[in-house]
Amino acid sequence: MMRLPWFSYRAPRTATEAARILAGEGPTAMPIAGGTDLLPNMKRRQQVPATLVSLRHVEGMKKLANGAGLTLGAGLTLTEVADAGIVREKYRALWQAAAQVATVHLRNMGTLGGNLCLDTRCNYYNQNYEWRKAIDFCLKKDGEICWVATASKRCVAVSSTDCAPALIALDAKVKLVSAAGEREVAAADLYKNDGIDYLTRRPDEILTEVRLPQASGWKSSYWKLRRRGSFDFPVLGVAAAVRTASDGTVEDARIVLGAVASRPLVTPASNALVGKRLTDDAIAEAAAKAASRAKPLDNTDLDIYWRKQVVAEFVGYALKEIRGDDLRATRVRYARHAL
Ligand SMILES: Cc1cc2nc3c(=O)[nH]c(=O)nc-3n(C[C@H](O)[C@H](O)[C@H](O)COP(=O)(O)OP(=O)(O)OC[C@H]3O[C@@H](n4cnc5c(N)ncnc54)[C@H](O)[C@@H]3O)c2cc1C
Ligand code: SF4
């Protein structure tokens, strides 16, 4: 049985107090929300914070406010996000992403904020301490070499959050609170393409809110590839959002790929759609463009070449679903339930 290492536990009531504790304790302290990622990582000694700052009792973290757009507290569980009628109706990509994270139990505990700040993943890293020790560890933790790209000075562990690509496609912003004040950053700017230093969030900042713009005119969709349709992390996530004029011409579009780099990848493929209708040809062109950007590495599940090949297909599914095609049968092939 793997045991947790010793740690101190703090349970502040406000985000500012939480941020103050983080600032005071320095980089050996970490926030904990649902703990569904952090606690297993601690058991495997991938992350060994000396102090955990719990966000469970922090006020305002469960906010759900629908006004000029939608504000979601970072402490909402993924179940609460997926169950919110407004998310399902107007921000479908987020609903589909949240509803496909892990399992029911993990979604009942795991939060939106924790999902956005999720550690990057790699076959050589998500292993217990003895396994990692046997290969002399790796760059990301305790070692000096990257086993995926041995000449690389940079860790290429994979961004595996389902909600981040969806929120980037939906043009969301996040609020970060520190002892010095607060700032708002675009969800797209929360990430860096570095498997170790993968967030632009400073260690003393708490992500408190996700802010979505009004959804009028937009339709969105999220498609996820994984081995087991009811359980696994994505080995590919495709989020697309499209705004069309009344005659069906695309006015704006965003296509974001997850699990193909150390950060969600915003593709320029949307340029292929603007000014056109969502015809099969336009979709095929955008899908091919998006796929050309994806460079999956051999450090997650499933065959790397096949994962690269299916990117275009998945972009196509997302766009066709936005067009209004009935893709429930196709979804059932990849997930246990048709979303
Ligand atoms: C078997 C299994 C399967 C999984 N499958 C998936 C999957 O398919 N897709 C997926 O996306 N995830 C998956 N996960 C990971 C995880 O369950 C979810 O990502 C979940 O949403 C994490 O949220 P949490 O609240 O539990 O985060 P925690 O574990 O509490 O924290 C995760 C990280 O975020 C930081 N953090 C948490 N909240 C905040 C905040 N508000 N501000 C700043 N930093 C914060 C923590 O310090 C930590 O670094 C899986 C986990 C397991 C164990
Ligand atoms: S990508 Fe390389 S450095 Fe990063 S976790 Fe994997 S093996 Fe380690």
Side-chain angles (χ1 to χ4, degrees):
M1 185 174 71
M2 287 188 287
R3 290 180 190 280
L4 282 170
W6 289 102
F7 56 89
S8 308
Y9 185 77
R10 308 286 293 273
R13 298 278 161 174
T14 64
T16 313
E17 192 191 341
R20 221 174 269 143
I21 298 171
L22 287 176
E25 299 281 330
T28 59
M30 285 180 82
I32 181 163
T36 60
D37 191 59
L38 184 51
L39 293 176
N41 284 1
M42 286 171 67
K43 287 185 176 178
R44 294 186 293 250
R45 306 303 191 262
Q46 291 160 231
Q47 293 173 306
V48 280
T51 304
L52 288 183
V53 181
S54 170
L55 304 178
R56 291 197 87 179
H57 305 290
V58 169
E59 63 192 29
M61 296 285 280
K62 291 268 189 188
K63 187 191 277 185
L64 200 160
N66 182 16
L70 180 67
T71 302
L72 297 168
L76 289 170
T77 64
L78 296 166
T79 300
E80 287 166 335
V81 171
D83 282 353
I86 173 99
V87 174
R88 183 175 182 150
E89 230 178 88
K90 301 221 164 133
Y91 303 95
R92 213 168 169 81
L94 176 60
W95 169 62
Q96 289 168 327
Q100 290 184 84
V101 170
T103 64
V104 175
H105 298 87
L106 289 159
R107 291 195 294 274
N108 286 345
M109 283 302 290
T111 64
L112 184 58
N115 192 254
L116 294 182
C117 297
L118 185 68
D119 195 11
T120 52
R121 296 181 60 80
C122 172
N123 286 343
Y124 295 90
Y125 170 69
N126 294 99
Q127 304 288 349
N128 65 36
Y129 182 83
E130 287 70 27
W131 193 102
R132 290 188 294 112
K133 188 176 174 198
I135 59 159
D136 203 15
F137 303 102
C138 77
L139 265 185
K140 186 158 160 79
K141 179 79 177 109
D142 299 328
E144 285 171 9
I145 192 167
C146 171
W147 294 109
V148 180
T150 46
S152 174
K153 292 275 168 261
R154 186 172 65 85
C155 164
V156 290
V158 181
S159 168
S160 305
T161 146
D162 280 302
C163 293
L167 285 170
I168 294 171
L170 292 166
D171 200 24
K173 295 186 168 53
V174 298
K175 181 170 144 189
L176 296 166
V177 173
S178 73
E182 59 181 63
R183 63 187 177 119
E184 187 182 75
V185 299
D189 296 334
L190 183 63
Y191 300 96
K192 291 193 249 178
N193 203 15
D194 182 320
I196 296 173
D197 192 16
Y198 58 95
L199 290 178
T200 58
R201 166 193 160 258
R202 294 195 309 267
D204 66 333
E205 285 180 316
I206 308 285
L207 195 163
T208 56
E209 278 177 21
V210 173
R211 295 168 176 166
L212 287 146
Q214 266 181 343
S216 42
W218 287 90
K219 283 188 182 161
S220 63
S221 171
Y222 179 75
W223 280 73
K224 170 172 179 172
L225 176 68
R226 55 181 162 175
R227 185 179 291 270
R228 293 167 294 184
S230 59
F231 194 141
D232 288 318
F233 282 90
V235 288
L236 168 67
V238 172
V242 177
R243 192 183 73 213
T244 46
S246 51
D247 67 352
T249 309
V250 175
E251 292 178 330
D252 202 355
R254 286 185 286 268
I255 299 171
V256 184
L257 306 179
V260 292
S262 298
R263 57 158 299 152
L265 218 59
V266 180
T267 74
S270 32
N271 296 341
L273 296 172
V274 174
K276 299 178 188 158
R277 285 163 187 264
L278 284 177
T279 59
D280 285 349
D281 285 349
I283 288 174
E285 191 189 334
K289 269 202 175 146
S292 69
R293 292 300 297 270
K295 299 203 170 29
L297 285 160
D298 204 6
N299 57 350
T300 61
D301 196 10
L302 300 179
D303 179 80
I304 177 179
Y305 301 105
W306 183 73
R307 274 164 48 215
K308 165 96 176 147
Q309 270 170 25
V310 293
V311 175
E313 246 172 277
F314 271 60
V315 174
Y317 296 150
L319 292 173
K320 284 177 184 167
E321 193 168 61
I322 287 172
R323 181 170 71 181
D325 294 15
D326 183 355
L327 290 175
R328 277 173 299 181
T330 314
R331 269 204 184 274
V332 171
R333 271 184 19 224
Y334 295 104
R336 268 192 339 157
H337 28 247
L339 287 167

